[in-house]
Amino acid sequence: MAQALAIAGLAAAAVAVTAPDALAGTSSKLYGCYSSWGNTGSLGHCQTVTRTGDFQNEVDCALGGDSSVWYYFHKDSSHDGWGYAECTISANRSWINFKIHS
């Protein structure tokens, strides 16, 4: 009986070690915009954009990466929940890219 309990305990420990942890976070702001990420995706958020230009949400995935299309935002506008980027397995972190609209 003790041996069966020990084997069951080892199996449970192995499952706990190999199961992926839920990851979540928020990037630093860039011109009023930031990115948030969870288990397998990322979303851009802008609260009062401070510079007119193109913004992109990019996520670092466990296997490769993904980025949204570029979105043009005017200064002083707000946009919540734009530029979804998705990972196949898990998201490590995300951030906002910016370029002056050409």
Side-chain angles (χ1 to χ4, degrees), residues 28-102:
S28 57
K29 284 190 176 182
L30 179 66
Y31 302 122
C33 297
Y34 67 95
S35 179
S36 63
W37 70 90
N39 285 338
T40 60
S42 173
L43 199 57
H45 311 271
C46 294
Q47 299 170 339
T48 312
V49 175
T50 61
R51 186 166 181 187
T52 297
D54 290 305
F55 291 83
Q56 181 186 50
N57 179 42
E58 189 162 352
V59 62
D60 172 32
C61 300
L63 295 174
D66 192 23
S67 56
S68 71
V69 297
W70 289 92
Y71 291 87
Y72 182 74
F73 297 136
H74 290 279
K75 183 179 178 183
D76 296 326
S77 64
S78 295
H79 305 277
D80 193 31
W82 59 271
Y84 181 72
E86 186 173 13
C87 298
T88 303
I89 300 207
S90 65
N92 298 321
R93 67 184 184 100
S94 64
W95 61 93
I96 298 297
N97 295 317
F98 174 80
K99 69 179 179 180
I100 296 174
H101 186 73
S102 51

Side-chain angles (χ1 to χ4, degrees), residues 17-33:
V17 170
T18 59
D21 294 327
L23 300 175
T26 303
S27 73
S28 57
K29 284 190 176 182
L30 179 66
Y31 302 122
C33 297

